[in-house]
Amino acid sequence: MQAQPNLKRQSSQPRRLTDSIYNRFVQATTWLIVGALTAGALVLAGLAYWELVIAEGAHLGQRVVVLLYDWAAQRYEFIKKFDAEYEDRALGQPLALALRRTTPCHVLDVAAGTGRLARSLLSQPAFAGAVVNLDLSRAMLLHTRHHQAQHERRVHRVQSPASRLPFADDTFHAVSFLEALEFLPDRKAAAREAVRVLRPGGWLLLSNRVGPDVPWLSGMTFSRPEFLAMLSELGLCEIDVQPWELDYDLAWARKPL
Ligand SMILES: C[S@@+](CC[C@H](N)C(=O)[O-])C[C@H]1O[C@@H](n2cnc3c(N)ncnc32)[C@H](O)[C@@H]1O
């Protein structure tokens, strides 16, 4: 009668050992799965941040870029915090000076956003011309209205892709293309298109992204020598490239007469 408990104890020990190994295995597997899922979610969040915030959707095509700008239009000015004095010094005043002998004078701002160039240029007493703000984002174009109400008759808005400008050759006395070339799928073709609509003797203002984000924008920017080479290939003259803002180079160049 007394042997029974002993027998039970003997048979339950290997079972407990198996159970404990099994439990540890389940625990380890659960942690492994949780770890892998967390790592996957972090990688996905990192990729989404990189593509949607740093590259602004550029690798996902024109539609995604424009969708993001439509969505962000209301906050764009708040995010950019444009300094009117700096804008005048870097853009409005020198461009008004370069165009002072040109009347009538027509300026095109490609990928104009909320119309920063027009705002600065139209406020210069030396400039009496008109500005076309062209952008593919309707919401960005709508925001130019709030900022240019007092110059309404001298501002035109065109919703169009920068890659196919709806204008004849040699139309504008100046074309600006600021902070946008990096979002175009074919940057050289887009720059060529800007030069096409520029009149002989007209000025091109073109920015190229530089700075700490560039390694993350693979294939979207030019190195400075590449940028200079592209401007020469476009047949431009009087090329001058200077650092501008925190993370851009700005080229001023002329289409030969
Ligand atoms: C960073 S914002 C620059 C806006 C303005 N040039 C400035 O400096 O404030 C980029 C602008 O490019 C426009 N854009 C992006 N892809 C475009 C395309 N394919 N055609 C026309 N505009 C485009 C966006 O809608 C946005 O307004």
Side-chain angles (χ1 to χ4, degrees), residues 111-154:
T114 50
R116 71 181 301 181
L117 182 100
R119 200 176 329 155
S120 176
L121 186 59
L122 292 169
S123 67
Q124 304 303 317
F127 181 74
V131 180
V132 176
N133 286 323
L134 177 140
D135 204 285
L136 197 50
S137 159
R138 192 173 137 75
M140 291 293 272
L141 280 178
L142 281 177
H143 274 271
T144 64
R145 279 188 204 284
H146 306 304
H147 304 299
Q148 282 145 17
Q150 74 272 35
H151 300 295
E152 198 51 41
R153 292 173 60 173
R154 295 164 65 199

Side-chain angles (χ1 to χ4, degrees), residues 94-182:
L95 190 54
L97 192 69
L99 298 171
R100 69 191 177 284
R101 293 201 187 93
T102 314
T103 44
C105 185
H106 302 290
V107 174
L108 171 67
D109 189 16
V110 180
T114 50
R116 71 181 301 181
L117 182 100
R119 200 176 329 155
S120 176
L121 186 59
L122 292 169
S123 67
Q124 304 303 317
F127 181 74
V131 180
V132 176
N133 286 323
L134 177 140
D135 204 285
L136 197 50
S137 159
R138 192 173 137 75
M140 291 293 272
L141 280 178
L142 281 177
H143 274 271
T144 64
R145 279 188 204 284
H146 306 304
H147 304 299
Q148 282 145 17
Q150 74 272 35
H151 300 295
E152 198 51 41
R153 292 173 60 173
R154 295 164 65 199
V155 185
H156 308 277
R157 293 169 190 85
V158 176
Q159 189 180 5
S160 163
S163 52
R164 222 176 33 254
L165 299 172
F167 306 107
D169 295 0
D170 306 343
T171 300
F172 293 96
H173 299 93
V175 175
S176 55
F177 199 158
L178 306 173
E179 297 194 27
L181 195 60
E182 59 269 35

